[in-house]
Amino acid sequence: MGGIEYTLTFQQFNETLRKKNKLLGLICDDCGKYTCPPKMTCQECGGTNLKIAELRGSGKITTFTTSYVTAIGREVEAPILVIFVELDEGPWIMGNLVGVDPNLATMESIMGKKVQLVATRVLPTDTYSKGEEAKGGLSRPTFAFVK
Amino acid sequence: MKKVAILGVGHTPFAFGTKKTLVELFSEAAMEAITNSNLQAKDIQAMYVGNCLGDFSEGQGMVQSYCASDIGAWNIPAMRLEGACATATMAIINAYIWVASGFFDIVLVGGAETASKMGTSLATRTFAMFADGHYEYPCGLTFPGAFAMLAHLYSAKYGVPLKKLKEQMALVSIQSHHYGKFNKLGQLHNDITKEDVFKSFMVSSPIQLYDCCPFSDGAAALVLAAEEKAKKLTNKPVYIAGMGQASSGNYSTQKDFLPRLRAREIAVKKAYDMAGIQPKDVNLCELHDCFSVASIIAAESLGFTDFGRGGELWEKGETRIGGKIPINISGGLKSKGHPIGATGASQVADIVKQMRGMVEPERQVEGVKIGLTDTLGGDGIICNLVLQRGW
């Protein structure tokens, strides 16, 4: 008694993004703000009166990097264009940008640009991420420039 | 609460490709610290061992009890702490609390790592475990990647053109190599130029190889004692006058502050307040320069200059010996090396040796009364210690 369960678990967030290409977050009944990726409590006020909200999946890029060194098993992915997106609802989420040559990414060509969620890329699980909650792979929020 | 002093310190050479085990490295640093404290291993009442990745680098967990056993501190309570790169400073904070509380008088604390044994790609994978494995790592986030994103954000937020920021970052690495070449216990002993930095391999744009600290093996240790005990054992006690530790969630939860790391501002304020000092009172600082831009970001949050102006400290030579705030005169993580579980203890050991006039003459800072260490673990742990000369 008195316990609290997650309103939105990693498994549900991950599966929804992977299978339905929908980005889920949480909206707080106390302060009205959004949390994404999900947590047990509201990241703005610490409140626990949360509801699942489907986010629009659009926002603007706040920063980026093109990574040429990758972890073991991911060597073929290099170079990877990693971005941080400020979603229209407020939260920042890390993701990948497609449709751009990672080698040509510059502050001028990437930062501040408007993006929209596109077909989700998935990272296969490895030795260290084999749990049931990650079954089917780890979803990577994937974005492209708004045309 | 009792006043806590640092007695002896111990420090193995930092290197890539050690021929020793984690337990052997820790034990050598520990015995040096114990001997320099005019003590024997049987005098140690408890110990804290910092180690992050022994499970992966050597298939060896629970190193703490083997370390205690190897040095002959049989059957004492031994703890292992893990907090990514802030590990050893977390260990020192915990050891401090045990001594300050009066529960123990003499506690051994330190850390060890043998990261080079993993090779670059497994090391990159395991270091990435110190970022959010479910929500951020899948996109390809690595450690250099995280600071690379902060560098771009820094440039945009403070209006420092990327070209200028890159020049400032290069100056950070150049200075670290300059002092690091004199540090006999350090890993790299060569001067580098701006050209070397700019022609080095692009790791994660805009961070190049010479913006990064190396993978390292090594250990460092200290003996902590209650004030009355310490006064009987040394005439040069160094007191832990202030400490602060704070944590944050993954990078996305830090959106309102980046490229500042909020945890640092909270931790260092606690440390300054506890010691009753201000940033201007610090004579020497060892800060967490895992990447060159990290030094610039850290110097600002520690209060040494305004936000957006950290790079100017290096441009004007304020971070050198004789400058306003000498920083990383050990060579820092960049040149001295960064065996992650040992780094915090190494930072403290170097400041203690500086105060006691025991470092190489080429990098001796005269008259250090107050030192500050700054250690960052992953995306969310910051530990700061204020050290005060006790004589």
Side-chain angles (χ1 to χ4, degrees):
Chain A
M1 293 295 284
I4 174 170
E5 287 200 2
Y6 271 80
T7 306
L8 175 58
T9 62
F10 168 73
Q11 182 183 35
Q12 191 181 351
F13 172 90
N14 191 51
E15 259 189 28
T16 308
L17 188 54
R18 182 166 54 83
K19 289 183 179 168
K20 298 182 183 165
N21 214 41
K22 285 180 179 170
L23 189 62
L24 297 184
L26 297 161
I27 182 163
C28 178
D29 266 354
D30 296 336
C31 73
K33 292 184 177 165
Y34 291 84
T35 294
C36 179
K39 288 209 236 310
M40 175 165 268
T41 59
C42 170
Q43 71 179 13
E44 302 293 339
C45 76
T48 53
N49 294 312
L50 304 171
K51 284 196 194 85
I52 294 177
E54 186 184 330
L55 306 182
R56 287 197 287 273
S58 52
K60 64 169 189 181
I61 299 175
T62 57
T63 188
F64 78 102
T65 185
T66 298
S67 265
Y68 293 88
V69 173
T70 64
I72 195 163
R74 303 186 67 170
E75 293 84 352
V76 294
E77 286 190 50
I80 307 180
L81 185 45
V82 185
I83 56 172
F84 233 146
V85 175
E86 181 180 5
L87 298 167
D88 291 343
E89 293 87 353
W92 286 27
I93 191 158
M94 212 169 275
N96 292 126
L97 181 64
V98 295
V100 170
D101 180 351
N103 294 303
L104 302 179
T106 62
M107 283 181 65
E108 294 71 27
S109 68
I110 302 291
M111 289 171 67
K113 294 287 190 296
K114 288 188 172 172
V115 289
Q116 178 66 44
L117 207 60
V118 294
T120 302
R121 295 169 68 192
V122 175
L123 176 70
T125 56
D126 70 3
T127 309
Y128 311 113
S129 58
K130 274 186 175 162
E132 276 297 309
E133 77 284 0
K135 208 169 180 180
L138 301 161
S139 299
R140 312 159 62 152
T142 307
F143 295 87
F145 286 148
V146 172
K147 293 236 166 73
Chain B
M1 227 170 51
K2 291 189 177 184
K3 215 169 154 183
V4 178
I6 298 164
L7 299 178
V9 302
H11 198 297
T12 70
F14 284 1
F16 187 89
T18 181
K19 290 178 179 160
K20 291 182 174 154
T21 70
L22 200 49
V23 171
E24 287 167 353
L25 285 173
F26 182 86
S27 298
E28 289 188 359
M31 284 306 248
E32 186 189 349
I34 292 168
T35 306
N36 287 340
S37 305
N38 300 312
L39 293 168
Q40 295 181 314
K42 66 177 174 53
D43 300 318
I44 303 298
Q45 297 166 346
M47 66 192 273
Y48 275 92
V49 180
N51 174 241
C52 296
L53 295 169
D55 316 63
F56 297 94
S57 67
E58 297 187 10
Q60 182 64 66
M62 210 182 75
V63 291
Q64 65 274 44
S65 50
Y66 302 117
C67 291
S69 171
D70 264 42
I71 64 170
W74 297 316
N75 309 119
I76 63 168
M79 278 63 61
R80 171 183 172 188
L81 280 188
E82 184 278 296
C85 310
T87 289
T89 314
M90 279 172 55
I92 294 167
I93 287 173
N94 280 274
Y96 168 95
I97 291 167
W98 274 28
V99 177
S101 73
F103 202 86
F104 292 118
D105 290 326
I106 299 177
V107 173
L108 174 72
V109 58
E113 208 69 57
T114 53
S116 82
K117 296 179 184 182
M118 291 184 282
T120 302
S121 55
L122 178 58
T124 303
R125 176 70 183 93
T126 57
F127 279 44
M129 291 176 185
F130 307 130
D132 188 326
H134 294 95
Y135 295 113
E136 298 190 345
Y137 169 72
C139 303
L141 184 70
T142 60
F143 249 83
F147 274 91
M149 292 171 95
L150 294 188
H152 282 146
L153 198 55
Y154 184 102
S155 170
K157 185 163 180 178
Y158 298 123
V160 179
L162 188 60
K163 189 168 181 297
K164 184 178 169 68
L165 179 61
K166 291 265 297 172
E167 299 254 342
Q168 293 176 334
M169 287 160 58
L171 290 176
V172 174
S173 295
I174 290 166
Q175 183 192 305
S176 294
H177 275 255
H178 169 75
Y179 289 117
K181 74 172 183 279
F182 301 118
N183 186 343
K184 291 194 177 90
L185 297 173
Q187 181 168 346
L188 304 174
H189 295 108
N190 60 313
D191 269 316
I192 59 169
T193 64
K194 241 180 222 183
E195 258 196 333
D196 293 330
V197 178
F198 292 145
K199 74 180 185 205
S200 68
F201 174 71
M202 184 62 80
V203 174
S204 197
S205 67
I207 286 183
Q208 295 180 249
L209 185 64
Y210 281 13
D211 290 304
C212 307
C213 66
F215 289 119
S216 314
D217 308 326
L222 334 161
V223 174
L224 302 188
E227 183 180 21
E228 66 273 21
K229 203 87 171 174
K231 281 181 173 166
K232 290 178 190 156
L233 291 162
T234 179
N235 56 8
K236 290 186 174 175
V238 173
Y239 292 103
I240 297 178
M243 61 181 197
Q245 180 178 337
S247 60
S248 292
N250 60 19
Y251 286 109
S252 75
T253 66
Q254 301 183 46
K255 65 186 168 65
D256 295 338
F257 296 97
L258 298 176
R260 289 158 54 187
L261 300 177
R262 179 73 177 134
R264 176 173 278 124
E265 292 164 28
I266 294 167
V268 82
K269 183 174 189 318
K270 283 184 191 165
Y272 286 150
D273 288 352
M274 183 174 164
I277 64 158
Q278 296 181 336
K280 67 174 172 49
D281 300 320
V282 177
N283 307 125
L284 175 63
C285 174
E286 286 286 324
L287 60 72
H288 201 84
D289 60 323
C290 45
F291 303 99
S292 55
V293 70
S295 297
I296 294 170
I297 290 170
E300 295 169 5
S301 287
L302 296 176
F304 298 139
T305 187
D306 298 333
F307 292 106
R309 303 189 63 182
E312 293 173 26
L313 290 173
W314 275 265
E315 283 177 337
K316 294 175 182 164
E318 299 286 15
T319 52
R320 291 182 165 252
I321 295 174
K324 192 172 85 175
I325 174 65
I327 290 176
N328 290 354
I329 307 302
S330 67
L333 282 56
K334 172 74 194 83
S335 176
K336 182 185 61 179
H338 181 29
I340 54 176
T343 282
S346 168
Q347 292 176 321
V348 172
D350 207 72
I351 290 184
V352 168
K353 284 194 224 175
Q354 282 277 6
M355 288 179 176
R356 291 176 178 163
M358 290 168 63
V359 304
E360 297 80 0
E362 297 88 344
R363 62 178 197 92
Q364 178 70 54
V365 183
E366 299 301 331
V368 178
K369 288 187 176 153
I370 292 177
L372 177 74
T373 69
D374 168 83
T375 336
L376 162 68
D379 46 21
I381 301 172
I382 298 269
C383 296
N384 295 111
L385 296 174
V386 174
L387 307 177
Q388 198 159 31
R389 194 170 74 181
W391 67 95

